[in-house]
Amino acid sequence: MINRESNVIEYTYADRQSAPDDVSEPLKPDYAINQLLSQFTGGIDPVAYGLAFTDWFIHLLLSLGKQQALLDLSLTHACGQNAECEEAAEDNRLAGAEWIPWPYAFYRQSYLATRQWWQLATRDVQGVEKHHTDMVNFAVRQWLEALSPANFPLTNPAVIRATLATSGNNLVKGLDNWLQDVTQQYLGSSKAADSPYLVGKNLAVTPGKVVFKNALLELLQYAPSTDTVKAEPVLITPAWIMKYYILDLSEHNSLVKYLVDKGHTVFMISWKNPQQDDHNVGLVDYLKQGLGEAIAAVQSRIPGQRIHGVGYCLGGTLLSMAAAWLEREKRSPFCSLTLLAAQTDFSDAGDLRLFIDESQLAMLEAVMAKHGYLPKENMAGTFVILRANYLLWAKWVKEYLLGERQHANDLLSWNQDATRMPARMHSEYLRQCYLNNALAGGQIMVDDKPIALADIQVPLFVVGTAKDHVAPWQSVYKVNLLIDKDITFLLTNGGHNAGIISEPGHPHRVYQVATKKEDGPYLPPEAWLKDVPMHEGSWWPVWQQWLADNSTEDVTARKINSADGLPEAPGQYVLQE
């Protein structure tokens, strides 16, 4: 419901058409229709995209200047002038000397000309709603990426060369690879049985124990590797969209191990993979029974010490909520906050917003009502679509046309280990954060009081990644407008995951970093990018030094007190399919 007088959005589960309290009860007709449609559209609402294309097409018919520009561009292409466009410059599959000879040059130029024409046609059409413009651009981009000459065996010179060299054996191997993948997906397995990477064997192997457990999470404490540690422990809150061990991959690139070896006591939350009976678990449950109880467990094990809070992606959003909530209650446990690729203002949240409006949420909530959760395949599919060139079509060419399997690595193995999300929580998160930007507006209610990020009273270290398709760095940077404390902002190259997993020694890593003081002026992101110098190397040492500078004294390393009946790290929740 909406309180019109206070302009505060108060969500109750009954106010939304989301999963019913008893998921076994007969479905509402609206749910059934949307569920049927979703089986043919992959969960994408055809009504939302129909409205977007209608808005664009009608305004294009009314835009005589745009039509003239498209005609001029068509004549330019007909005269044989070369065509280039922004997106094509990023598609390295069309680069290289093999695309210069005829007929491949013709395929390439025809394709680039088509892209350039559609790029002009779908942008800057006067009168089209911005959200609809973005949706049309995105949909057309997906269609064009599928039609790239690199994706077809008769128009890709590398595939033709491999086919001639192997007498077609590459296509035979590619078919076998495709059949294996289809079989694996049909059987519902998230990871290949012959994967060389396994949790507890060579992933998530930093020594530690589960020291607390409830219905939402297991809390891991890691064993020290130094004689002394910083007095203040580190509590890491990962996203529950994927599993926590993105931050504890292999021994050489584990952020957890790096912190432990630098003399920090580290705690990590491992979220439960929700089942059908968790359908009514909400966002505030993750805040209070999740992160709130984890904080209390850390305080009980290390009494009298404040905590360095660290949050990654959605975990960082939750951490910022917790910090504001506990500060309001005059019981903040934090001495600092670190937000890794985490958004607090969702007004410019990137391509994920293209999947979020009232129409599309109605379909998504119908899908979740059927299961009680968002199936892991839905979220994984969304991330693939966001980077289809690299995650879908590059794989299509390499594994199915060239017949070459991608080399297994720890990050790819983690990426295949997807999770589900409770229906109520996911609906609340998308509506409150993405659709209504309620966190930035102080409209999320906890205990009948609003969460205000301006209440946060500790220094922040905020990391954005330059090629982030999930949390664009400009969106992450908006925290500077919401919290008036010392904020150190660091921008690193790479994407949402690879940019964060940036261990010392990792080649080709660069970063920019600067601190805005509490009483300092705000610098817009474009000006910040231009003015802040570039540094080579990993950003981890810079952050670790910041943690040390915001700590007090060193103390004797803490042994892990045994917790009856609880397992060793990595725990049990992370192993749940």
Side-chain angles (χ1 to χ4, degrees):
M1 76 183 78
I2 301 179
N3 185 330
R4 303 289 182 185
E5 295 181 358
S6 64
N7 199 34
V8 170
I9 303 172
E10 302 178 41
Y11 288 95
T12 62
Y13 203 47
D15 289 333
R16 301 182 320 279
Q17 290 193 350
S18 191
D21 289 337
D22 181 3
V23 295
S24 63
E25 72 182 25
L27 295 175
K28 297 178 181 178
D30 291 348
Y31 287 165
I33 293 172
N34 276 325
Q35 287 166 4
L36 180 63
L37 281 174
S38 70
Q39 296 178 13
F40 299 98
T41 65
I44 296 175
D45 180 33
V47 175
Y49 274 88
L51 291 172
F53 272 90
T54 299
D55 185 10
W56 163 76
F57 183 68
I58 291 175
H59 283 92
L60 180 62
L61 292 178
L62 299 175
S63 301
L64 300 182
K66 174 66 74 172
Q67 294 175 36
Q68 183 63 51
L70 291 172
L71 178 60
D72 293 344
L73 183 59
S74 298
L75 292 174
T76 299
H77 292 160
C79 293
Q81 296 187 24
N82 291 339
E84 295 290 343
C85 63
E86 296 173 14
E87 290 90 345
E90 299 178 358
D91 190 352
N92 56 18
R93 296 178 302 150
L94 297 178
E98 59 192 0
W99 289 95
I100 295 177
W102 188 92
Y104 306 114
F106 172 74
Y107 300 150
R108 180 179 186 274
Q109 287 304 320
S110 298
Y111 173 70
L112 294 184
T114 302
R115 291 195 70 143
Q116 189 179 48
W117 191 93
W118 278 102
Q119 184 182 86
L120 177 63
T122 57
R123 293 182 179 178
D124 302 321
V125 179
Q126 187 175 10
V128 182
E129 185 178 322
K130 182 182 184 303
H131 182 59
H132 287 166
T133 296
D134 293 340
M135 291 175 67
V136 170
N137 273 318
F138 181 79
V140 169
R141 188 165 70 245
Q142 300 304 310
W143 168 61
L144 289 171
E145 286 176 355
L147 295 178
S148 170
N151 297 334
F152 299 93
L154 296 180
T155 55
N156 187 325
V159 176
I160 291 177
R161 185 173 63 249
T163 302
L164 294 174
T166 66
S167 300
N169 194 47
N170 60 304
L171 297 178
V172 175
K173 289 183 177 178
L175 178 60
D176 183 59
N177 291 340
W178 180 79
L179 289 173
Q180 289 180 19
D181 290 346
V182 170
T183 301
Q184 178 183 329
Q185 184 176 12
Y186 177 76
L187 294 176
S189 174
S190 62
K191 300 174 72 174
D194 58 350
S195 173
Y197 293 96
L198 295 174
V199 175
K201 178 182 178 182
N202 49 12
L203 298 175
V205 294
T206 303
K209 282 185 64 68
V210 176
V211 296
F212 173 77
K213 181 178 182 178
N214 66 18
L216 283 180
L217 60 83
E218 290 178 328
L219 181 66
L220 310 177
Q221 181 179 354
Y222 293 94
S225 62
T226 55
D227 293 333
T228 61
V229 295
K230 299 300 178 185
E232 293 81 4
V234 175
L235 171 60
I236 303 177
T237 307
W240 50 89
I241 292 176
M242 299 292 281
K243 294 186 178 178
Y244 84 86
Y245 64 91
I246 178 65
L247 302 174
D248 186 25
L249 284 172
S250 303
E251 185 175 357
H252 73 280
N253 61 359
S254 167
L255 181 62
V256 169
K257 185 178 186 302
Y258 178 79
L259 290 175
V260 169
D261 289 346
K262 290 295 183 179
H264 295 276
T265 301
V266 179
F267 292 84
M268 171 75 77
I269 289 175
S270 174
W271 298 102
K272 176 187 175 183
N273 200 358
Q275 307 295 321
Q276 189 178 64
D277 57 2
D278 297 310
H279 69 276
N280 205 36
V281 175
L283 185 60
V284 173
D285 295 318
Y286 273 83
L287 175 67
K288 300 178 77 171
Q289 282 73 50
L291 180 53
E293 292 192 8
I295 291 170
V298 173
Q299 290 177 312
S300 69
R301 301 186 73 81
I302 307 179
Q305 294 292 351
R306 297 177 76 79
I307 299 170
H308 292 295
V310 181
Y312 181 26
C313 185
L314 177 52
T317 304
L318 187 73
L319 175 65
S320 66
M321 291 173 57
W325 164 52
L326 294 171
E327 192 73 56
R328 185 193 69 194
E329 301 297 313
K330 307 298 182 183
R331 53 190 181 97
S332 173
F334 299 113
C335 57
S336 77
L337 296 177
T338 297
L339 305 181
L340 306 177
Q343 299 175 99
T344 50
D345 184 316
F346 290 76
S347 59
D348 189 21
D351 285 348
L352 272 177
R353 287 188 60 87
L354 302 178
F355 299 90
I356 301 166
D357 56 31
E358 286 290 353
S359 181
Q360 294 182 98
L361 284 180
M363 173 167 283
L364 180 64
E365 289 171 346
V367 172
M368 293 191 296
K370 179 178 180 180
H371 303 281
Y373 52 75
L374 180 70
K376 59 186 179 181
E377 296 81 9
N378 288 50
M379 182 57 68
T382 299
F383 289 142
V384 168
I385 292 174
L386 288 177
R387 301 196 67 193
N389 240 1
Y390 301 96
L391 298 180
L392 176 60
W393 299 117
K395 176 179 178 178
W396 168 264
V397 172
K398 184 177 181 64
E399 298 200 0
Y400 304 150
L401 298 185
L402 296 176
E404 303 171 1
R405 279 297 192 188
Q406 297 185 58
H407 294 296
N409 60 64
D410 48 11
L411 188 58
L412 180 62
S413 180
W414 168 85
N415 194 57
Q416 295 172 341
D417 197 6
T419 61
R420 298 173 290 273
M421 281 176 285
R424 177 176 181 175
M425 181 286 303
H426 196 52
S427 178
E428 289 177 342
Y429 168 60
L430 293 180
R431 286 186 175 279
Q432 296 195 35
C433 293
Y434 275 92
L435 192 60
N436 297 302
N437 201 22
L439 178 58
Q443 296 172 306
I444 292 181
M445 308 296 290
V446 177
D447 298 330
D448 297 322
K449 298 177 183 177
I451 292 293
L453 296 180
D455 290 340
I456 293 176
Q457 297 297 314
V458 296
L460 285 86
F461 194 101
V462 181
V463 179
T465 59
K467 295 184 178 181
D468 200 324
H469 287 68
V470 178
W473 78 266
Q474 296 91 339
S475 180
V476 174
Y477 187 84
K478 288 177 179 287
V479 70
N480 284 285
L481 296 171
L482 301 175
I483 301 173
D484 192 20
K485 299 299 295 183
D486 289 359
I487 299 179
T488 299
F489 186 82
L490 184 145
L491 177 65
T492 182
N493 61 334
H496 187 71
N497 299 319
I500 298 300
I501 309 307
S502 182
E503 71 281 0
H506 195 296
H508 312 302
R509 290 304 188 195
V510 295
Y511 65 89
Q512 297 167 264
V513 60
T515 299
K516 182 186 82 68
K517 294 294 185 180
E518 180 177 354
D519 57 353
Y522 169 77
L523 195 63
E526 297 78 12
W528 187 96
L529 190 66
K530 180 180 179 181
D531 291 353
V532 177
M534 187 80 70
H535 304 277
E536 294 186 356
S538 166
W539 61 268
W540 287 11
V542 178
W543 174 52
Q544 190 277 323
Q545 185 60 54
W546 182 88
L547 288 176
D549 292 343
N550 283 278
S551 301
T552 53
E553 62 204 9
D554 290 352
V555 299
T556 302
R558 304 173 176 105
K559 295 182 179 180
I560 303 177
N561 298 325
S562 61
D564 294 340
L566 297 179
E568 301 288 326
Q572 296 173 338
Y573 280 169
V574 73
L575 302 176
Q576 294 176 334
E577 288 288 340

